[in-house]
Amino acid sequence: MLAFLVQRISQAVLVMFVISVIAFAIQDGLGDPLQQMVGMSVSQDEREAIREEMGLNDPLVVQYVRFAGNALQGDLGISYFYGKPTMDVILEHLPATLELVIGASLIIIIFSVPIGVFAAIRPQAWLSKFFMGVSTVGISIPVFLTAIVLIQIFSIGVTVDWFPQDAGWGQWLNAALSTEGGLPSYGRGDDLTPLFGTWESGFFSQGGLLHLILPSVSLASIMLPLFIRLIRAEMMEVLQSDYIRYARAKGLSSSRVYFLHALKNTMLPVITVGGVQIGIMVAYTILTETVFQWPGVGLMFLEAITRSDIPLIVAYLMVVGLIFVITNTVVDLIYGLVNPTVKLTGKKA
Amino acid sequence: MTTATLSRWDRFRESFLWYSFKRDKVAIASFIVLLSMVLSAIFAPLLAPADPYDLAQINIMNSELPPVGLDGSDPAFPLGTDAQGRDLLSTILYGTRVSLLIGFGAVVLQAALGILFGLLAGYLGGRVDSILMRIADVQLSFSTLMVAIIVGAVFKASFGNLMFGEVAIYMLIFIIGVAEWPQIARTVRASVLAEKKKEYVDAAKVMGFRTRRIMFRHILPNTLSPIFVIATVQIANAIISEAALSFLGLGMPETQPSLGSLIKSGFDYIQSGSWWISLIPGLVLVVLVLVINLLGDWLRDVMNPRLYKG
């Protein structure tokens, strides 16, 4: 176990090193901090003097060591646009993204477990086939398109007048297919509750929760089909195993067999895959936040790109890289803990 | 010459692939839809009523006209017009062309990289294998979309908007190809590991063939069917990635739109009621990706290769 721990953690450190080198290369290759600081009127000699003073003429290795040393202390430079430390800017935007991810994860857990389990228990039922069909289509719909359709239906509203208004059934169909809209689709709203530090939460007010609905449903829509399929596949495999047959032969009620005995062993691989997927969700938050103008780190990153705010881009890369590395390592370690048969050394074929 | 092609055609008609295709209604329907979309994209300049790249044909007075059947529509524009007054049908035909071009191009690039690295890793083993697969692991754990967004962002920041617009197609092919090579490399590696132990490889070694010849002439042809299956699904993924990048403004410019940038440009007008500008290209995108995915599912069932499970 200790060897596994050391191996995983050293791998994480190595990956973080590579990310920091890439981030440093971007910073070095793209931005000339001098140009951002001084105007046209500064002479060539003065520029050289400032360069020397800032250490921009030092060898690259020395510059990298300085960059990495500062990064370790949480100093990733000053944002050009916001004019304050990039870490502060990121910490201000992080709570919004975290709440979005939490909201989406809740939706995924609430819906994927019952649907996946049902589809595994009754694979032939029309409802299961319906859910599996919907999830195939769901995988093919990009997250921003889901978001736009949701905005059209629930925020702007749809008026249907295809059916004759004078006939009773036509009127009813028109009314049934039309939606009023009205759900907020822009930002987080005004009534946020301050929690601690820069964290203002939308979970404790009606307005905040209403603003959360559409973005988190959109973000959940991309992962939900994946999880339904995964839970179904794992559950079907578990249901084939001997201990389930034994539990049935013992005469346990089928709900006890399904939800106590089978579900427990189904959830293990689901949780480990899920941990990695939640890391991947960070990429999709960029898309979701762009559509809904959700003031999280994803939108901040995209704005930083349009503004060529290089320190902020670099800081975002480092922070997101760290989040990815930590989730992957923790998931690996948990998996190693609960499943001792995991190979300790690297993959040897 | 003719006899050779004839017999090849006969062989194809005798094959299991054709047999199972004929019996699968979903596969036939998907194939027909895909074929008609690809053909109409290829022949877009002939089919489209207008040329969306030609500024002289655009009249701003025609902007935001709804599709035929709604109030205020103009029969000259069957699917309506976008905010700049371009005919939406023509723009979608040209946009599908751009999306498909980038999708195919990106998959060709990632297949080239994936096959090369997968063969090297699987056949040579040892240090080469562990280094290549570690890189693939790390890149996959970051999710391909994230890698593509970051590379796109760096390109955009270093080239500037105007320059980026000119080279966008090649950039996107490069970005998506580089971001997704690990998927194919892992599949190739897995089947190379299985093939490597077979007798024909030993025979080739004994006959004194060089490593390169054994890798590309003997092993590669036997790993083609899993590559084929995964490449099909990867085309769908590449098209979605391209649409996502374009939607974020890191892809095709509005003057030369792909389906993704059409959706983006329409999204700015959705609040004013012009839903068709983004939702009709969106529907085309979903249908395109869905039929490719369905064909990929069918191919996987038929060829039944040992795919790498991520």
Side-chain angles (χ1 to χ4, degrees):
Chain A
M1 192 59 219
L2 192 68
F4 183 64
L5 196 77
V6 170
Q7 191 215 353
R8 281 296 172 224
I9 289 179
S10 58
Q11 191 187 330
V13 171
L14 185 72
V15 172
M16 229 22 240
F17 169 73
V18 174
I19 293 172
S20 71
V21 170
I22 294 172
F24 173 72
I26 292 172
Q27 187 170 42
D28 192 63
L30 288 188
D32 185 359
L34 206 64
Q35 224 163 10
Q36 302 282 340
M37 285 170 58
V38 300
M40 299 285 278
S41 58
V42 178
S43 75
Q44 202 60 39
D45 288 349
E46 281 173 289
R47 280 170 193 263
E48 260 326 294
I50 304 175
R51 287 192 89 86
E52 193 61 47
E53 198 184 315
M54 287 176 66
L56 291 173
N57 288 339
D58 293 345
L60 274 183
V61 180
V62 179
Q63 289 193 45
Y64 170 75
V65 170
R66 201 182 304 133
F67 169 81
N70 287 339
L72 279 178
Q73 294 165 23
D75 173 12
L76 285 165
I78 311 269
S79 158
Y80 295 154
F81 179 79
Y82 292 92
K84 43 186 182 180
T86 47
M87 278 310 283
D88 293 359
V89 178
I90 289 180
L91 285 179
E92 274 167 29
H93 288 88
L94 203 55
T97 301
L98 278 179
E99 292 200 345
L100 183 59
V101 171
I102 293 172
S105 310
L106 283 178
I107 294 174
I108 292 173
I109 294 168
I110 291 170
F111 286 98
S112 67
V113 175
I115 294 177
V117 168
F118 179 78
I121 298 174
R122 301 250 151 73
Q124 295 304 325
W126 67 267
L127 199 60
S128 309
K129 287 182 177 159
F130 169 76
F131 281 132
M132 297 323 284
V134 169
S135 73
T136 308
V137 178
I139 286 180
S140 306
I141 305 182
V143 60
F144 55 91
L145 205 58
T146 317
I148 294 176
V149 172
L150 286 177
I151 289 179
Q152 177 70 46
I153 296 177
F154 295 107
S155 179
I156 300 173
V158 180
T159 326
V160 173
D161 49 8
W162 305 327
F163 303 103
Q165 197 61 254
D166 39 341
W169 61 271
Q171 205 174 1
W172 183 84
L173 269 179
N174 281 339
L177 289 175
S178 301
T179 54
E180 277 202 15
L183 265 183
S185 67
Y186 186 91
R188 299 179 73 195
D190 302 324
D191 25 347
L192 299 175
T193 323
L195 281 186
F196 52 85
T198 57
W199 190 311
E200 289 188 320
S201 176
F203 276 119
F204 302 101
S205 67
Q206 199 195 354
L209 282 174
L210 280 179
H211 279 81
L212 251 173
I213 294 177
L214 289 184
S216 29
V217 170
S218 310
L219 187 56
S221 73
I222 198 76
M223 296 284 173
L224 198 54
L226 257 158
F227 274 80
I228 293 177
R229 283 162 165 251
L230 184 68
I231 291 176
R232 174 176 172 268
E234 293 294 338
M235 185 89 175
M236 284 176 107
E237 210 173 302
V238 169
L239 287 180
Q240 300 292 322
S241 56
D242 283 340
Y243 81 96
I244 292 293
R245 217 170 295 158
Y246 174 68
R248 279 205 180 118
K250 222 166 69 169
L252 294 183
S253 71
S254 53
S255 66
R256 207 177 151 80
V257 173
Y258 290 138
F259 292 103
L260 197 79
H261 295 278
L263 194 59
K264 235 188 237 169
N265 277 318
T266 304
M267 290 321 277
L268 177 66
V270 172
I271 286 170
T272 50
V273 173
V276 177
Q277 296 294 336
I278 284 183
I280 289 176
M281 256 168 139
V282 174
Y284 291 108
T285 57
I286 301 180
L287 285 162
T288 320
E289 288 177 8
T290 310
V291 177
F292 292 102
Q293 292 294 303
W294 188 261
V297 279
L299 185 63
M300 179 209 78
F301 175 60
L302 209 67
E303 285 173 343
I305 294 170
T306 24
R307 291 172 186 143
S308 296
D309 192 343
I310 287 137
L312 198 53
I313 296 176
V314 169
Y316 176 85
L317 289 189
M318 297 283 283
V319 171
V320 165
L322 190 66
I323 293 175
F324 271 110
V325 169
I326 290 177
T327 40
N328 281 327
T329 312
V330 169
V331 165
D332 268 5
L333 290 179
I334 291 176
Y335 199 64
L337 270 181
V338 291
N339 184 5
T341 56
V342 70
K343 279 182 198 155
L344 293 187
T345 47
K347 281 176 213 143
K348 292 234 171 78
Chain B
M1 185 66 197
T2 37
T3 48
T5 45
L6 252 183
S7 70
R8 197 168 280 177
W9 172 243
D10 284 339
R11 253 168 63 196
F12 173 69
R13 286 188 51 179
E14 299 279 305
S15 70
F16 177 64
L17 195 71
W18 177 245
Y19 172 78
S20 52
F21 180 74
K22 276 190 302 188
R23 295 172 63 95
D24 193 327
K25 290 196 187 88
V26 177
I28 295 177
S30 309
F31 185 75
I32 292 173
V33 173
L34 181 63
L35 191 69
S36 51
M37 288 178 103
V38 170
L39 285 180
S40 54
I42 292 175
F43 297 110
L46 300 175
L47 292 171
D51 180 359
Y53 300 159
D54 184 5
L55 290 174
Q57 293 183 20
I58 303 170
N59 187 350
I60 193 75
M61 295 304 288
N62 290 333
S63 67
E64 292 189 57
L65 291 177
V68 163
L70 294 174
D71 292 339
S73 61
D74 183 335
F77 306 106
L79 294 180
T81 58
D82 70 0
Q84 299 168 41
R86 293 183 294 198
D87 174 39
L88 204 56
L89 176 64
S90 317
T91 334
I92 288 175
L93 284 172
Y94 276 82
T96 315
R97 192 179 154 107
V98 173
S99 288
L100 277 171
L101 186 68
I102 294 174
F104 277 111
V107 170
V108 168
L109 179 62
Q110 56 176 284
L113 289 173
I115 290 173
L116 180 65
F117 292 148
L119 270 178
L120 285 174
Y123 190 72
L124 299 180
R127 191 147 293 217
V128 181
D129 184 28
S130 51
I131 291 176
L132 283 175
M133 284 304 115
R134 200 42 54 82
I135 297 174
D137 278 348
V138 171
Q139 221 186 305
L140 278 183
S141 72
F142 272 80
S143 102
T144 51
L145 183 62
M146 193 73 208
V147 176
I149 290 176
I150 290 170
V151 180
V154 172
F155 272 128
K156 182 147 188 177
S158 49
F159 281 126
N161 264 337
L162 207 66
M163 175 80 180
F164 189 83
E166 279 171 26
V167 292
I169 286 194
Y170 308 103
M171 279 302 146
L172 285 169
I173 291 176
F174 175 79
I175 291 168
I176 299 168
V178 168
E180 301 209 347
W181 69 268
Q183 310 267 14
I184 293 186
R186 283 182 153 192
T187 315
V188 174
R189 175 180 173 271
S191 37
V192 169
L193 286 178
E195 290 296 322
K196 191 164 87 163
K197 298 187 193 102
K198 292 193 179 162
E199 281 173 349
Y200 73 93
V201 179
D202 288 336
K205 274 185 198 155
V206 170
M207 280 153 86
F209 287 140
R210 278 177 308 161
T211 311
R212 204 196 314 170
R213 192 183 160 98
I214 299 177
M215 268 172 22
F216 288 96
R217 294 287 293 277
H218 296 254
I219 295 183
L220 181 59
N222 285 306
T223 60
L224 280 181
S225 64
I227 296 176
F228 203 55
V229 172
I230 199 154
T232 315
V233 181
Q234 285 298 90
I235 292 177
N237 284 344
I239 291 176
I240 288 194
S241 298
E242 186 278 327
L245 286 172
S246 292
F247 185 80
L248 291 175
L250 300 171
M252 298 304 294
E254 258 181 62
T255 47
Q256 205 187 335
S258 68
L259 290 174
S261 34
L262 273 176
I263 297 170
K264 173 194 162 61
S265 67
F267 177 60
D268 300 335
Y269 296 89
I270 196 170
Q271 297 287 352
S272 62
S274 311
W275 52 267
W276 56 91
I277 308 177
S278 68
L279 290 186
I280 296 180
L283 186 68
V284 175
L285 178 72
V286 170
V287 170
L288 183 62
V289 170
L290 183 66
V291 292
I292 297 178
N293 274 336
L294 287 173
L295 276 177
D297 280 355
W298 168 76
L299 265 182
R300 190 180 50 212
D301 291 344
V302 174
M303 295 190 165
N304 192 24
R306 284 173 299 270
L307 278 182
Y308 181 86
K309 283 186 193 152

